[in-house]
Structure formats: C-alpha cells, structure tokens
C-alpha cells in the first residue's frame, strides 16, 4: 500500500515527522504533498490549479492522484490518502484490503475498490469521508486517471473543499 498525505509546510517539523516516526513505516510507500518540498521526510511540493486553501482541496487532491498514478501505479496494489491530522494502522489496513481480495478472489489490477468511512447523507449519493482517509485499488486509480479530466462525469474545474464527494462522483 502506498500512503499519501496532504499537508502544509508548517506541519513538516511536527505532524509529518511524527507520522514518519510512527505509522508511516508500516506503509510500503509513503509520500506527503505540501506547499514546500523536503526530501528528508519525504515531502513533495506539487502544483495544482487555483489557490492553496482548504476551499480548493479538490484541485490539490486531483494533482496528488495524478502524480501517484503517473509515477507509482504499477508499484502498489492500493493507494491510501488522507490529511496530516490522521493516524493509520497500516498493518490493519493492509490486512483488511487483503481480505477483500481474498473474499472476492480478485486482483487489484482489475477489481475496483474504493474503501473508506462511508457516508450516505439522506437523499444524496454516498461517499467515503476524506477526513478519515480512503483507499483506491490500482484498477480504481487507473479508472480515475482516465476520467479525471472528463467534464461530463468528473467536474475537473471546481474549486471546492468537498474532494471526497467529488471523487465519489468521478468513480460512479
């Protein structure tokens, strides 16, 4: 599993360093994306459309997913993303994701998984909470990469904080 975290430069010394010293080592790969690069952690500054703000989270997440797909798609079965304020137990997450594959007799190359804390607000489409983080299988990330710029299905232009709702719409 590749663990991806979005952050800001002022969190490198505390939040990102704490992740590296605790749970991030349990991921098979770990990268943070920020407003400044720091190869020691590792943190990558990644450009995205619009301003660097919470209200533009969708554009930041789109850039992170594009980077992960273009650089690591064939290296990992699953990709997990979340903010710099979460704690993950990678062993448990990997065990759970492996159990899905085992139960379904599936291959992450072909089986689409979009796994996370599911919200189903009354009368609206369900989505996985971005705050809790969520995982995409390789096949799902491949599908997202293929559709992420499709204005009809994926809404690539909005500047919104609702990245979790937006990605769920893209993956329908």
């Amino acid at each position: 599993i590749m663990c991806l975290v979005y952050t800001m430069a002022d969190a490198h010394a505390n939040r990102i360093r704490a992740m590296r010293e605790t749970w991030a080592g349990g991921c098979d790969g770990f990268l943070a994306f920020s407003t400044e690069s720091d190869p020691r952690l590792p943190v990558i500054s990644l450009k995205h459309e619009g301003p660097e703000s919470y209200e533009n989270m969708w554009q930041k997440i789109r850039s992170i997913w594009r980077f992960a797909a273009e650089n690591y798609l064939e290296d990992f079965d699953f990709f997990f993303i979340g903010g710099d304020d979460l704690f993950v137990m990678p062993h448990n997450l990997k065990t759970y994701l492996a159990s899905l594959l085992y139960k379904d007799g599936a291959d992450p190359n072909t089986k689409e998984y979009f796994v996370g804390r599911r919200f189903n607000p009354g009368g609206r489409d369900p989505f996985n909470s971005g705050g809790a983080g969520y995982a995409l299988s390789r096949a799902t990330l491949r599908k997202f990469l293929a559709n992420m710029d499709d204005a009809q299905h994926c809404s690539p232009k909005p500047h919104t904080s609702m990245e979790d709702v937006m990605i769920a719409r893209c993956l329908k």
Side-chain angles (χ1 to χ4, degrees):
I1 188 166
M2 171 68 139
C3 297
L4 310 166
V5 173
Y6 49 88
T7 190
M8 302 283 279
D10 62 354
H12 292 188
N14 50 25
R15 291 181 178 195
I16 302 304
R17 188 169 309 282
M19 287 177 173
R20 293 292 302 160
E21 293 173 359
T22 58
W23 64 263
C27 300
D28 300 301
F30 176 84
L31 284 174
F33 297 89
S34 182
T35 52
E36 292 178 19
S37 293
D38 186 341
R40 297 169 299 167
L41 293 174
V43 179
I44 297 171
S45 175
L46 195 59
K47 300 288 183 209
H48 57 79
E49 161 121 10
E52 179 69 43
S53 72
Y54 179 76
E55 290 75 27
N56 194 31
M57 189 58 67
W58 174 228
Q59 296 302 324
K60 186 169 189 164
I61 295 300
R62 283 171 36 80
S63 293
I64 293 170
W65 281 128
R66 184 182 311 274
F67 182 91
E70 290 176 350
N71 293 282
Y72 297 101
L73 185 62
E74 301 306 322
D75 299 332
F76 299 94
D77 294 332
F78 287 93
F79 298 82
F80 177 81
I81 194 166
D84 65 8
D85 59 348
L86 61 85
F87 183 88
V88 178
M89 299 181 81
H91 175 74
N92 292 359
L93 180 59
K94 287 196 268 188
T95 300
Y96 175 70
L97 295 171
S99 77
L100 295 176
L101 295 174
Y102 177 76
K103 177 184 77 164
D104 293 343
D107 177 353
N109 268 316
T110 58
K111 179 72 172 175
E112 294 178 13
Y113 289 100
F114 178 31
V115 180
R117 165 64 174 93
R118 199 80 160 150
F119 280 121
N120 192 359
R124 296 195 320 220
D125 291 335
F127 63 94
N128 290 321
S129 169
Y134 53 86
L136 305 181
S137 65
R138 181 183 303 136
T140 307
L141 182 53
R142 190 178 288 119
K143 176 183 178 180
F144 179 63
L145 182 64
N147 295 324
M148 72 186 303
D149 294 322
D150 179 351
Q152 183 178 357
H153 297 101
C154 209
S155 302
K157 295 296 181 194
H159 294 204
T160 178
S161 62
M162 298 188 311
E163 58 87 15
D164 45 9
V165 173
M166 302 301 282
I167 195 162
R169 287 180 188 162
C170 288
L171 295 173
K172 275 177 78 175

Short mmCIF file of all heavy atoms in Angstrom, two decimals, residues 56-113:
data_model
loop_
_atom_site.label_atom_id
_atom_site.label_comp_id
_atom_site.label_asym_id
_atom_site.label_seq_id
_atom_site.Cartn_x
_atom_site.Cartn_y
_atom_site.Cartn_z
N ASN A 56 -10.04 24.77 -1.76
CA ASN A 56 -9.60 24.29 -3.06
C ASN A 56 -9.00 22.88 -2.95
O ASN A 56 -8.15 22.50 -3.74
CB ASN A 56 -8.58 25.27 -3.67
CG ASN A 56 -8.36 25.01 -5.14
OD1 ASN A 56 -9.25 24.57 -5.85
ND2 ASN A 56 -7.15 25.26 -5.60
N MET A 57 -9.45 22.13 -1.98
CA MET A 57 -8.91 20.79 -1.73
C MET A 57 -9.08 19.85 -2.93
O MET A 57 -8.23 19.01 -3.20
CB MET A 57 -9.58 20.18 -0.50
CG MET A 57 -8.95 18.91 -0.03
SD MET A 57 -7.20 19.05 0.38
CE MET A 57 -7.30 20.10 1.80
N TRP A 58 -10.17 19.98 -3.66
CA TRP A 58 -10.41 19.12 -4.82
C TRP A 58 -9.27 19.22 -5.82
O TRP A 58 -8.79 18.20 -6.34
CB TRP A 58 -11.74 19.48 -5.46
CG TRP A 58 -12.08 18.77 -6.74
CD1 TRP A 58 -12.53 19.36 -7.89
CD2 TRP A 58 -12.06 17.36 -7.02
NE1 TRP A 58 -12.77 18.41 -8.86
CE2 TRP A 58 -12.49 17.17 -8.36
CE3 TRP A 58 -11.69 16.25 -6.29
CZ2 TRP A 58 -12.58 15.92 -8.97
CZ3 TRP A 58 -11.77 14.99 -6.90
CH2 TRP A 58 -12.22 14.85 -8.21
N GLN A 59 -8.78 20.43 -6.09
CA GLN A 59 -7.69 20.58 -7.06
C GLN A 59 -6.38 19.99 -6.52
O GLN A 59 -5.61 19.39 -7.28
CB GLN A 59 -7.54 22.05 -7.46
CG GLN A 59 -8.74 22.61 -8.18
CD GLN A 59 -9.10 21.84 -9.44
OE1 GLN A 59 -8.23 21.35 -10.15
NE2 GLN A 59 -10.39 21.72 -9.73
N LYS A 60 -6.13 20.16 -5.24
CA LYS A 60 -4.91 19.58 -4.65
C LYS A 60 -4.96 18.06 -4.72
O LYS A 60 -3.98 17.41 -5.12
CB LYS A 60 -4.75 20.05 -3.21
CG LYS A 60 -3.44 19.61 -2.57
CD LYS A 60 -3.21 20.32 -1.25
CE LYS A 60 -1.82 20.06 -0.73
NZ LYS A 60 -1.43 21.00 0.31
N ILE A 61 -6.09 17.48 -4.37
CA ILE A 61 -6.23 16.03 -4.38
C ILE A 61 -6.12 15.48 -5.80
O ILE A 61 -5.50 14.44 -6.04
CB ILE A 61 -7.57 15.61 -3.73
CG1 ILE A 61 -7.58 15.97 -2.24
CG2 ILE A 61 -7.85 14.12 -3.94
CD1 ILE A 61 -6.49 15.33 -1.42
N ARG A 62 -6.71 16.18 -6.77
CA ARG A 62 -6.59 15.75 -8.17
C ARG A 62 -5.11 15.69 -8.58
O ARG A 62 -4.68 14.74 -9.24
CB ARG A 62 -7.35 16.72 -9.09
CG ARG A 62 -8.85 16.52 -9.09
CD ARG A 62 -9.58 17.63 -9.85
NE ARG A 62 -8.91 18.13 -11.02
CZ ARG A 62 -8.88 17.54 -12.23
NH1 ARG A 62 -9.52 16.41 -12.40
NH2 ARG A 62 -8.23 18.08 -13.24
N SER A 63 -4.34 16.69 -8.18
CA SER A 63 -2.90 16.71 -8.51
C SER A 63 -2.16 15.56 -7.84
O SER A 63 -1.28 14.94 -8.45
CB SER A 63 -2.28 18.03 -8.10
OG SER A 63 -2.79 19.08 -8.88
N ILE A 64 -2.51 15.27 -6.60
CA ILE A 64 -1.86 14.16 -5.88
C ILE A 64 -2.19 12.83 -6.55
O ILE A 64 -1.29 12.01 -6.79
CB ILE A 64 -2.28 14.16 -4.40
CG1 ILE A 64 -1.71 15.40 -3.69
CG2 ILE A 64 -1.81 12.87 -3.71
CD1 ILE A 64 -2.26 15.63 -2.29
N TRP A 65 -3.45 12.61 -6.87
CA TRP A 65 -3.83 11.35 -7.51
C TRP A 65 -3.17 11.22 -8.88
O TRP A 65 -2.71 10.14 -9.25
CB TRP A 65 -5.34 11.22 -7.63
CG TRP A 65 -6.02 10.79 -6.37
CD1 TRP A 65 -7.08 11.42 -5.76
CD2 TRP A 65 -5.73 9.66 -5.55
NE1 TRP A 65 -7.44 10.74 -4.63
CE2 TRP A 65 -6.63 9.66 -4.48
CE3 TRP A 65 -4.77 8.64 -5.63
CZ2 TRP A 65 -6.61 8.67 -3.49
CZ3 TRP A 65 -4.75 7.66 -4.63
CH2 TRP A 65 -5.66 7.68 -3.58
N ARG A 66 -3.08 12.30 -9.62
CA ARG A 66 -2.42 12.25 -10.94
C ARG A 66 -0.94 11.87 -10.76
O ARG A 66 -0.42 11.02 -11.47
CB ARG A 66 -2.53 13.58 -11.67
CG ARG A 66 -1.95 13.53 -13.09
CD ARG A 66 -2.01 14.85 -13.83
NE ARG A 66 -3.28 15.53 -13.83
CZ ARG A 66 -4.28 15.31 -14.69
NH1 ARG A 66 -4.15 14.41 -15.63
NH2 ARG A 66 -5.39 16.01 -14.61
N PHE A 67 -0.27 12.52 -9.80
CA PHE A 67 1.14 12.22 -9.54
C PHE A 67 1.31 10.75 -9.15
O PHE A 67 2.21 10.06 -9.67
CB PHE A 67 1.67 13.13 -8.43
CG PHE A 67 3.12 12.92 -8.13
CD1 PHE A 67 4.09 13.67 -8.78
CD2 PHE A 67 3.53 11.99 -7.19
CE1 PHE A 67 5.43 13.47 -8.51
CE2 PHE A 67 4.87 11.77 -6.91
CZ PHE A 67 5.83 12.52 -7.58
N ALA A 68 0.49 10.27 -8.24
CA ALA A 68 0.61 8.88 -7.79
C ALA A 68 0.39 7.91 -8.95
O ALA A 68 1.15 6.94 -9.10
CB ALA A 68 -0.40 8.61 -6.67
N ALA A 69 -0.61 8.18 -9.77
CA ALA A 69 -0.90 7.29 -10.89
C ALA A 69 0.21 7.32 -11.93
O ALA A 69 0.61 6.27 -12.45
CB ALA A 69 -2.23 7.67 -11.53
N GLU A 70 0.72 8.48 -12.23
CA GLU A 70 1.75 8.59 -13.26
C GLU A 70 3.11 8.05 -12.82
O GLU A 70 3.92 7.66 -13.65
CB GLU A 70 1.88 10.05 -13.71
CG GLU A 70 0.67 10.53 -14.51
CD GLU A 70 0.71 12.00 -14.88
OE1 GLU A 70 1.60 12.74 -14.38
OE2 GLU A 70 -0.16 12.41 -15.67
N ASN A 71 3.35 8.02 -11.51
CA ASN A 71 4.66 7.61 -11.01
C ASN A 71 4.70 6.27 -10.28
O ASN A 71 5.77 5.66 -10.18
CB ASN A 71 5.23 8.69 -10.09
CG ASN A 71 5.55 9.95 -10.85
OD1 ASN A 71 6.57 10.03 -11.51
ND2 ASN A 71 4.67 10.92 -10.78
N TYR A 72 3.57 5.81 -9.75
CA TYR A 72 3.58 4.63 -8.88
C TYR A 72 2.48 3.62 -9.17
O TYR A 72 2.35 2.64 -8.43
CB TYR A 72 3.47 5.06 -7.41
CG TYR A 72 4.64 5.89 -6.96
CD1 TYR A 72 4.53 7.28 -6.87
CD2 TYR A 72 5.85 5.30 -6.63
CE1 TYR A 72 5.61 8.04 -6.48
CE2 TYR A 72 6.94 6.06 -6.23
CZ TYR A 72 6.81 7.44 -6.15
OH TYR A 72 7.88 8.18 -5.75
N LEU A 73 1.69 3.81 -10.20
CA LEU A 73 0.52 2.97 -10.44
C LEU A 73 0.85 1.48 -10.46
O LEU A 73 0.13 0.67 -9.89
CB LEU A 73 -0.17 3.37 -11.75
CG LEU A 73 -1.47 2.64 -12.06
CD1 LEU A 73 -2.53 2.93 -11.01
CD2 LEU A 73 -1.99 3.06 -13.42
N GLU A 74 1.94 1.10 -11.09
CA GLU A 74 2.26 -0.32 -11.21
C GLU A 74 3.07 -0.86 -10.02
O GLU A 74 3.35 -2.06 -9.96
CB GLU A 74 3.02 -0.58 -12.51
CG GLU A 74 2.24 -0.18 -13.75
CD GLU A 74 0.85 -0.80 -13.85
OE1 GLU A 74 0.69 -1.99 -13.46
OE2 GLU A 74 -0.09 -0.11 -14.29
N ASP A 75 3.40 0.00 -9.06
CA ASP A 75 4.23 -0.42 -7.93
C ASP A 75 3.45 -0.85 -6.70
O ASP A 75 4.01 -1.49 -5.81
CB ASP A 75 5.18 0.72 -7.53
CG ASP A 75 6.13 1.11 -8.65
OD1 ASP A 75 6.44 0.25 -9.49
OD2 ASP A 75 6.54 2.27 -8.68
N PHE A 76 2.17 -0.50 -6.62
CA PHE A 76 1.37 -0.77 -5.44
C PHE A 76 0.00 -1.29 -5.83
O PHE A 76 -0.55 -0.90 -6.86
CB PHE A 76 1.22 0.50 -4.58
CG PHE A 76 2.53 1.03 -4.10
CD1 PHE A 76 3.20 2.02 -4.82
CD2 PHE A 76 3.14 0.53 -2.96
CE1 PHE A 76 4.43 2.51 -4.41
CE2 PHE A 76 4.37 1.01 -2.53
CZ PHE A 76 5.02 2.01 -3.26
N ASP A 77 -0.57 -2.16 -4.98
CA ASP A 77 -1.92 -2.68 -5.22
C ASP A 77 -2.99 -1.69 -4.79
O ASP A 77 -4.06 -1.61 -5.39
CB ASP A 77 -2.13 -3.99 -4.47
CG ASP A 77 -1.26 -5.11 -5.00
OD1 ASP A 77 -0.91 -5.07 -6.20
OD2 ASP A 77 -0.93 -6.03 -4.22
N PHE A 78 -2.71 -0.96 -3.69
CA PHE A 78 -3.65 0.01 -3.14
C PHE A 78 -2.94 1.32 -2.82
O PHE A 78 -1.75 1.34 -2.53
CB PHE A 78 -4.29 -0.53 -1.85
CG PHE A 78 -5.29 -1.62 -2.09
CD1 PHE A 78 -4.90 -2.94 -2.05
CD2 PHE A 78 -6.62 -1.33 -2.34
CE1 PHE A 78 -5.81 -3.97 -2.26
CE2 PHE A 78 -7.54 -2.32 -2.56
CZ PHE A 78 -7.14 -3.65 -2.53
N PHE A 79 -3.73 2.39 -2.85
CA PHE A 79 -3.26 3.74 -2.56
C PHE A 79 -4.20 4.34 -1.53
O PHE A 79 -5.42 4.38 -1.75
CB PHE A 79 -3.25 4.59 -3.84
CG PHE A 79 -2.34 4.04 -4.89
CD1 PHE A 79 -2.75 3.00 -5.72
CD2 PHE A 79 -1.05 4.53 -5.03
CE1 PHE A 79 -1.90 2.47 -6.68
CE2 PHE A 79 -0.19 3.99 -5.99
CZ PHE A 79 -0.62 2.97 -6.82
N PHE A 80 -3.65 4.79 -0.40
CA PHE A 80 -4.44 5.37 0.68
C PHE A 80 -4.09 6.85 0.78
O PHE A 80 -2.91 7.20 0.76
CB PHE A 80 -4.13 4.68 2.00
CG PHE A 80 -4.85 5.27 3.17
CD1 PHE A 80 -6.17 4.93 3.43
CD2 PHE A 80 -4.21 6.19 4.00
CE1 PHE A 80 -6.84 5.49 4.51
CE2 PHE A 80 -4.88 6.75 5.07
CZ PHE A 80 -6.19 6.41 5.32
N ILE A 81 -5.10 7.70 0.90
CA ILE A 81 -4.86 9.14 1.01
C ILE A 81 -5.60 9.72 2.20
O ILE A 81 -6.70 9.27 2.53
CB ILE A 81 -5.27 9.88 -0.29
CG1 ILE A 81 -4.71 11.30 -0.31
CG2 ILE A 81 -6.78 9.86 -0.47
CD1 ILE A 81 -4.79 11.97 -1.67
N GLY A 82 -4.97 10.70 2.84
CA GLY A 82 -5.60 11.40 3.96
C GLY A 82 -4.79 12.64 4.31
O GLY A 82 -3.72 12.87 3.77
N GLY A 83 -5.32 13.39 5.24
CA GLY A 83 -4.67 14.62 5.68
C GLY A 83 -3.61 14.37 6.73
O GLY A 83 -3.43 13.26 7.23
N ASP A 84 -2.92 15.44 7.11
CA ASP A 84 -1.83 15.34 8.08
C ASP A 84 -2.30 15.24 9.52
O ASP A 84 -1.50 15.25 10.44
CB ASP A 84 -0.85 16.51 7.91
CG ASP A 84 -1.47 17.86 8.22
OD1 ASP A 84 -2.62 17.93 8.71
OD2 ASP A 84 -0.81 18.88 7.95
N ASP A 85 -3.61 15.12 9.73
CA ASP A 85 -4.14 15.02 11.08
C ASP A 85 -4.71 13.63 11.37
O ASP A 85 -5.49 13.46 12.30
CB ASP A 85 -5.22 16.08 11.29
CG ASP A 85 -6.38 15.97 10.31
OD1 ASP A 85 -6.26 15.22 9.32
OD2 ASP A 85 -7.39 16.64 10.53
N LEU A 86 -4.31 12.64 10.60
CA LEU A 86 -4.85 11.31 10.87
C LEU A 86 -3.77 10.36 11.32
O LEU A 86 -2.58 10.59 11.15
CB LEU A 86 -5.61 10.76 9.65
CG LEU A 86 -4.88 10.54 8.34
CD1 LEU A 86 -4.19 9.18 8.28
CD2 LEU A 86 -5.89 10.61 7.22
N PHE A 87 -4.21 9.28 11.94
CA PHE A 87 -3.33 8.21 12.39
C PHE A 87 -3.84 6.93 11.75
O PHE A 87 -5.04 6.64 11.81
CB PHE A 87 -3.34 8.09 13.91
CG PHE A 87 -2.39 7.05 14.43
CD1 PHE A 87 -1.08 7.38 14.69
CD2 PHE A 87 -2.81 5.74 14.63
CE1 PHE A 87 -0.19 6.42 15.16
CE2 PHE A 87 -1.93 4.77 15.11
CZ PHE A 87 -0.62 5.12 15.37
N VAL A 88 -2.97 6.18 11.14
CA VAL A 88 -3.35 4.96 10.43
C VAL A 88 -2.58 3.80 11.04
O VAL A 88 -1.43 3.95 11.45
CB VAL A 88 -2.99 5.09 8.93
CG1 VAL A 88 -3.32 3.82 8.17
CG2 VAL A 88 -3.68 6.28 8.31
N MET A 89 -3.22 2.65 11.05
CA MET A 89 -2.55 1.41 11.43
C MET A 89 -2.39 0.61 10.13
O MET A 89 -3.28 -0.15 9.76
CB MET A 89 -3.35 0.66 12.49
CG MET A 89 -3.50 1.49 13.76
SD MET A 89 -4.40 0.68 15.04
CE MET A 89 -3.11 -0.35 15.71
N PRO A 90 -1.28 0.83 9.42
CA PRO A 90 -1.10 0.24 8.10
C PRO A 90 -1.25 -1.28 8.08
O PRO A 90 -1.82 -1.83 7.14
CB PRO A 90 0.30 0.66 7.68
CG PRO A 90 0.55 1.91 8.44
CD PRO A 90 -0.14 1.70 9.76
N HIS A 91 -0.78 -1.96 9.12
CA HIS A 91 -0.91 -3.42 9.15
C HIS A 91 -2.39 -3.82 9.10
O HIS A 91 -2.77 -4.71 8.34
CB HIS A 91 -0.23 -4.01 10.38
CG HIS A 91 -0.44 -5.48 10.51
ND1 HIS A 91 0.22 -6.39 9.71
CD2 HIS A 91 -1.27 -6.20 11.30
CE1 HIS A 91 -0.19 -7.61 10.02
NE2 HIS A 91 -1.10 -7.52 10.98
N ASN A 92 -3.20 -3.16 9.91
CA ASN A 92 -4.64 -3.47 9.92
C ASN A 92 -5.28 -3.12 8.59
O ASN A 92 -6.13 -3.86 8.09
CB ASN A 92 -5.34 -2.72 11.05
CG ASN A 92 -4.93 -3.23 12.42
OD1 ASN A 92 -4.14 -4.15 12.56
ND2 ASN A 92 -5.47 -2.61 13.46
N LEU A 93 -4.90 -1.99 8.02
CA LEU A 93 -5.45 -1.58 6.73
C LEU A 93 -5.07 -2.59 5.65
O LEU A 93 -5.92 -3.02 4.86
CB LEU A 93 -4.97 -0.18 6.36
CG LEU A 93 -5.46 0.39 5.04
CD1 LEU A 93 -6.98 0.45 4.99
CD2 LEU A 93 -4.86 1.79 4.82
N LYS A 94 -3.80 -3.01 5.63
CA LYS A 94 -3.37 -3.99 4.63
C LYS A 94 -4.09 -5.33 4.83
O LYS A 94 -4.47 -5.96 3.84
CB LYS A 94 -1.85 -4.20 4.72
CG LYS A 94 -1.05 -3.02 4.18
CD LYS A 94 0.39 -3.40 3.91
CE LYS A 94 1.26 -3.14 5.09
NZ LYS A 94 2.70 -3.33 4.80
N THR A 95 -4.27 -5.73 6.07
CA THR A 95 -4.98 -6.98 6.35
C THR A 95 -6.42 -6.90 5.85
O THR A 95 -6.92 -7.84 5.21
CB THR A 95 -4.95 -7.30 7.86
OG1 THR A 95 -3.58 -7.44 8.27
CG2 THR A 95 -5.71 -8.57 8.18
N TYR A 96 -7.07 -5.77 6.11
CA TYR A 96 -8.44 -5.61 5.65
C TYR A 96 -8.52 -5.61 4.12
O TYR A 96 -9.36 -6.29 3.54
CB TYR A 96 -9.05 -4.32 6.20
CG TYR A 96 -10.43 -4.05 5.65
CD1 TYR A 96 -11.49 -4.86 6.03
CD2 TYR A 96 -10.65 -3.04 4.74
CE1 TYR A 96 -12.76 -4.65 5.50
CE2 TYR A 96 -11.90 -2.83 4.20
CZ TYR A 96 -12.96 -3.63 4.59
OH TYR A 96 -14.20 -3.43 4.06
N LEU A 97 -7.66 -4.86 3.46
CA LEU A 97 -7.68 -4.81 1.99
C LEU A 97 -7.38 -6.18 1.39
O LEU A 97 -8.01 -6.59 0.41
CB LEU A 97 -6.71 -3.75 1.48
CG LEU A 97 -7.07 -2.31 1.86
CD1 LEU A 97 -5.92 -1.37 1.50
CD2 LEU A 97 -8.37 -1.87 1.24
N ALA A 98 -6.44 -6.90 1.99
CA ALA A 98 -6.13 -8.26 1.51
C ALA A 98 -7.34 -9.18 1.69
O ALA A 98 -7.59 -10.05 0.85
CB ALA A 98 -4.91 -8.81 2.23
N SER A 99 -8.10 -8.98 2.77
CA SER A 99 -9.28 -9.82 3.00
C SER A 99 -10.34 -9.58 1.92
O SER A 99 -11.06 -10.50 1.55
CB SER A 99 -9.87 -9.57 4.39
OG SER A 99 -10.62 -8.36 4.44
N LEU A 100 -10.43 -8.36 1.41
CA LEU A 100 -11.37 -8.09 0.32
C LEU A 100 -10.96 -8.86 -0.92
O LEU A 100 -11.80 -9.47 -1.60
CB LEU A 100 -11.41 -6.60 0.00
CG LEU A 100 -11.94 -5.66 1.07
CD1 LEU A 100 -11.81 -4.21 0.62
CD2 LEU A 100 -13.38 -5.99 1.41
N LEU A 101 -9.68 -8.85 -1.22
CA LEU A 101 -9.18 -9.58 -2.39
C LEU A 101 -9.41 -11.08 -2.22
O LEU A 101 -9.84 -11.77 -3.14
CB LEU A 101 -7.70 -9.29 -2.61
CG LEU A 101 -7.33 -7.86 -2.97
CD1 LEU A 101 -5.82 -7.71 -3.02
CD2 LEU A 101 -7.96 -7.44 -4.28
N TYR A 102 -9.13 -11.57 -1.02
CA TYR A 102 -9.29 -13.00 -0.76
C TYR A 102 -10.76 -13.40 -0.86
O TYR A 102 -11.11 -14.38 -1.51
CB TYR A 102 -8.73 -13.34 0.63
CG TYR A 102 -8.92 -14.78 1.01
CD1 TYR A 102 -8.10 -15.77 0.46
CD2 TYR A 102 -9.92 -15.15 1.90
CE1 TYR A 102 -8.28 -17.09 0.79
CE2 TYR A 102 -10.11 -16.48 2.23
CZ TYR A 102 -9.28 -17.44 1.68
OH TYR A 102 -9.47 -18.76 2.00
N LYS A 103 -11.64 -12.60 -0.24
CA LYS A 103 -13.07 -12.89 -0.25
C LYS A 103 -13.62 -12.89 -1.68
O LYS A 103 -14.40 -13.75 -2.06
CB LYS A 103 -13.81 -11.85 0.59
CG LYS A 103 -15.33 -11.99 0.60
CD LYS A 103 -15.99 -10.87 1.37
CE LYS A 103 -15.96 -9.67 0.49
NZ LYS A 103 -16.79 -8.58 0.77
N ASP A 104 -13.21 -11.93 -2.46
CA ASP A 104 -13.72 -11.80 -3.83
C ASP A 104 -12.92 -12.63 -4.84
O ASP A 104 -13.32 -12.73 -5.99
CB ASP A 104 -13.68 -10.33 -4.27
CG ASP A 104 -14.64 -9.46 -3.50
OD1 ASP A 104 -15.55 -9.99 -2.85
OD2 ASP A 104 -14.46 -8.22 -3.55
N GLY A 105 -11.79 -13.20 -4.41
CA GLY A 105 -10.92 -13.88 -5.36
C GLY A 105 -10.48 -12.92 -6.45
O GLY A 105 -10.42 -13.28 -7.62
N ALA A 106 -10.20 -11.68 -6.05
CA ALA A 106 -9.99 -10.60 -7.01
C ALA A 106 -8.52 -10.22 -7.15
O ALA A 106 -7.68 -10.57 -6.34
CB ALA A 106 -10.79 -9.38 -6.58
N ASP A 107 -8.29 -9.45 -8.15
CA ASP A 107 -6.98 -8.91 -8.48
C ASP A 107 -7.09 -7.38 -8.46
O ASP A 107 -7.97 -6.83 -9.13
CB ASP A 107 -6.60 -9.40 -9.88
CG ASP A 107 -5.27 -8.86 -10.38
OD1 ASP A 107 -4.67 -7.99 -9.72
OD2 ASP A 107 -4.83 -9.31 -11.45
N PRO A 108 -6.23 -6.67 -7.69
CA PRO A 108 -6.32 -5.21 -7.64
C PRO A 108 -6.04 -4.54 -8.99
O PRO A 108 -6.30 -3.37 -9.16
CB PRO A 108 -5.28 -4.81 -6.60
CG PRO A 108 -4.35 -5.97 -6.50
CD PRO A 108 -5.15 -7.19 -6.85
N ASN A 109 -5.50 -5.31 -9.93
CA ASN A 109 -5.31 -4.78 -11.29
C ASN A 109 -6.62 -4.62 -12.03
O ASN A 109 -6.75 -3.79 -12.90
CB ASN A 109 -4.42 -5.73 -12.11
CG ASN A 109 -2.98 -5.36 -12.03
OD1 ASN A 109 -2.62 -4.19 -12.13
ND2 ASN A 109 -2.14 -6.35 -11.86
N THR A 110 -7.58 -5.47 -11.68
CA THR A 110 -8.85 -5.48 -12.42
C THR A 110 -10.06 -5.16 -11.56
O THR A 110 -11.06 -4.66 -12.06
CB THR A 110 -9.07 -6.84 -13.10
OG1 THR A 110 -9.05 -7.87 -12.10
CG2 THR A 110 -7.99 -7.11 -14.13
N LYS A 111 -10.01 -5.43 -10.27
CA LYS A 111 -11.16 -5.21 -9.39
C LYS A 111 -11.08 -3.81 -8.80
O LYS A 111 -10.07 -3.41 -8.24
CB LYS A 111 -11.16 -6.26 -8.27
CG LYS A 111 -12.27 -6.11 -7.28
CD LYS A 111 -13.61 -6.51 -7.86
CE LYS A 111 -14.64 -6.50 -6.75
NZ LYS A 111 -15.97 -6.75 -7.17
N GLU A 112 -12.17 -3.06 -8.93
CA GLU A 112 -12.20 -1.70 -8.41
C GLU A 112 -12.68 -1.68 -6.96
O GLU A 112 -13.75 -2.18 -6.66
CB GLU A 112 -13.13 -0.84 -9.27
CG GLU A 112 -12.61 -0.64 -10.67
CD GLU A 112 -13.56 0.17 -11.53
OE1 GLU A 112 -14.51 0.78 -11.01
OE2 GLU A 112 -13.33 0.18 -12.76
N TYR A 113 -11.82 -1.11 -6.11
CA TYR A 113 -12.16 -0.92 -4.70
C TYR A 113 -11.98 0.56 -4.37
O TYR A 113 -10.96 1.16 -4.70
CB TYR A 113 -11.25 -1.74 -3.79
CG TYR A 113 -11.51 -3.22 -3.85
CD1 TYR A 113 -10.70 -4.05 -4.62
CD2 TYR A 113 -12.56 -3.80 -3.14
CE1 TYR A 113 -10.92 -5.41 -4.68
CE2 TYR A 113 -12.80 -5.16 -3.20
CZ TYR A 113 -11.97 -5.96 -3.97
OH TYR A 113 -12.20 -7.30 -4.04
#
